[in-house]
Amino acid sequence: MSKVLATSEPPILEVKNLVKHFHVGGGLFGGKAGVVRAVDGVSFFIQRGETLGLVGESGCGKTTTGRCILQLERPTSGSVIFEGADLTTVSPDDLRRVRRRIQVIFQDPYSSLNPRMTVGQIIAEPMAVHRIVTDARARAARVRDLLERVGLLPRHADRYPHEMSGGQRQRVGVARALAMEPSLIICDEPVSALDVSIQAQIINLLEDLQADLGLTYLFIAHDLAVVRHISDRVAVMYLGKVVEIADRKALYDDPLHPYTQALLAAVPIPDPELEARREHAIVLGEVPSPLNPPSGCVFHPRCPIAIERCRVDVPELREVKPGHWAACHLA
Ligand code: SF4
């Protein structure tokens, strides 16, 4: 079922020319000093109620992008405008207040849940700290509510994280995020650590919650198969840059960037016969280091159709078709 998005309204989140460089080496223990260009000029927006998938291989900068949005990393430059406020310039007090409306669901619920707290305490704590629900009885009732909302039972409030399965723990992570009454949730590889059958359940849960509560998601994943079902639009990142961004259908049916084409070619087809007959035309090899990125188009050493110009000129992210952007000289 397609969603109706309020596209005439300003986006809930707008990331403009976001840059995050890390300085490495050259310290007490030596090593060559250099700059890791983890995020190198990333721009995108998300409409309220929308899900934007952000996809790329490990080390492409997608998680750092998420951390810069949350201001867990301060960007080197660029802006992060959330509900009209630029989070890179607001006062610390305003940041705390606004930041509450952006929550995150992590990949590994086990390491993100305090093992010494019960599930009830884990969900109630942020509501107490941020004075969302001040009365202890009302908080306990809200915990029960949230547990049911994420498909758990009120009695799970007395359990500890280690007494639950991976899928149940991720549901607790979702309930803890919802406790803060967010409008935007950054889902950072939320199903990558789960079995495939459980992955579908968590994705369905996130979709149901979005429909009920009008949530907006930035859904970070390392492969295109995971975000296909849930995303309205998909942005593909490579070595710190967005190389393609489009509506889900356009991106999967007609990918314009050779890197997106390679990622799609790597997604297995569920039918084993079809999969066996399919040509995996593009062998990608290793991702170059963001410490010393290639000149020109950063994808040129791995690109099967690179031309001489690609070694020299950086391709701009441009609108090749309406709403479909790609950073490739040949797109
Ligand atoms: Fe390949 Fe050149 Fe396009 Fe980069 S700009 S993706 S190297 S064809």
Side-chain angles (χ1 to χ4, degrees):
M1 189 177 64
S2 65
K3 279 182 236 166
V4 180
L5 297 171
T7 46
S8 56
E9 284 179 18
I12 187 171
L13 177 78
E14 200 169 2
V15 173
K16 285 188 187 166
N17 269 323
L18 187 72
V19 172
K20 180 64 190 178
H21 292 171
F22 295 101
H23 292 268
V24 295
L28 201 56
F29 302 104
K32 213 169 147 222
V35 174
V36 174
R37 297 163 183 273
V39 178
D40 208 14
V42 161
S43 299
F44 59 80
F45 63 86
I46 313 181
Q47 293 297 141
R48 195 175 286 278
E50 185 182 34
T51 298
L52 178 72
L54 185 61
V55 175
E57 289 162 287
S58 139
C60 72
K62 55 194 192 297
T63 290
T64 306
T65 300
R67 290 177 60 80
C68 286
I69 293 168
L70 291 157
Q71 301 298 304
L72 296 174
E73 301 282 357
R74 289 303 240 181
T76 306
S77 62
S79 48
V80 174
I81 298 164
F82 172 68
E83 293 185 332
D86 186 349
L87 304 188
T88 63
T89 55
V90 294
S91 69
D93 274 356
D94 283 346
L95 180 60
R96 245 190 315 277
R97 194 172 42 76
V98 176
R99 182 42 192 82
R100 174 169 85 69
R101 313 246 318 135
I102 311 176
Q103 289 301 303
V104 57
I105 300 170
F106 295 99
Q107 172 176 0
D108 179 0
Y110 199 51
S111 63
S112 68
L113 304 177
N114 187 335
R116 283 180 290 278
M117 287 167 85
T118 64
V119 163
Q121 289 166 336
I122 287 168
I123 300 170
E125 190 195 36
M127 288 192 275
V129 171
H130 291 268
R131 309 191 132 272
I132 296 166
V133 184
T134 47
D135 176 71
R137 286 244 301 270
R139 235 177 2 250
R142 175 93 175 111
V143 166
R144 286 195 295 277
D145 247 27
L146 286 166
L147 285 172
E148 285 184 70
R149 227 180 216 295
V150 298
L152 294 171
L153 299 168
R155 63 180 158 79
H156 285 125
D158 300 323
R159 301 248 180 107
Y160 286 89
H162 74 269
E163 297 174 311
M164 307 186 90
S165 68
Q168 286 175 324
R169 283 198 288 264
Q170 195 53 295
R171 288 174 192 269
V172 175
V174 175
R176 182 181 55 178
L178 293 181
M180 300 288 276
E181 299 173 354
S183 47
L184 171 67
I185 299 185
I186 297 180
C187 307
D188 189 1
E189 306 244 12
V191 297
S192 305
L194 303 174
D195 290 350
V196 174
S197 58
I198 311 291
Q199 287 185 357
Q201 291 175 14
I202 298 292
I203 288 191
N204 288 340
L205 170 68
L206 290 171
E207 283 189 315
D208 291 347
L209 292 169
Q210 181 171 51
D212 290 350
L213 305 173
L215 295 167
T216 305
Y217 296 138
L218 176 64
F219 197 105
I220 297 173
H222 62 265
D223 79 64
L224 279 163
V226 170
V227 297
R228 180 170 200 149
H229 186 61
I230 197 168
S231 302
D232 298 295
R233 283 182 306 131
V234 177
V236 178
M237 274 187 84
Y238 183 77
L239 229 54
K241 295 174 189 295
V242 170
V243 295
E244 183 159 5
I245 185 162
D247 280 354
R248 170 184 49 182
K249 186 162 174 18
L251 191 114
Y252 286 87
D253 291 356
D254 183 22
L256 297 177
H257 196 283
Y259 179 58
T260 313
Q261 291 164 0
L263 282 181
L264 279 171
V267 173
I269 297 174
D271 180 334
E273 271 183 39
L274 266 183
E275 174 65 19
R277 271 188 278 136
R278 194 162 69 126
E279 284 182 43
H280 290 273
I282 305 171
V283 179
L284 278 173
E286 292 293 306
V287 186
S289 164
L291 187 57
N292 187 18
S295 60
C297 173
V298 286
F299 189 56
H300 84 252
R302 303 169 85 192
C303 180
I305 59 166
I307 54 174
E308 201 45 45
R309 182 184 172 198
C310 303
R311 293 174 194 281
V312 186
D313 289 349
V314 178
E316 291 295 315
L317 186 66
R318 63 193 169 83
E319 194 168 16
V320 179
K321 297 178 181 178
H324 193 152
W325 299 68
C328 172
H329 298 308
L330 302 183

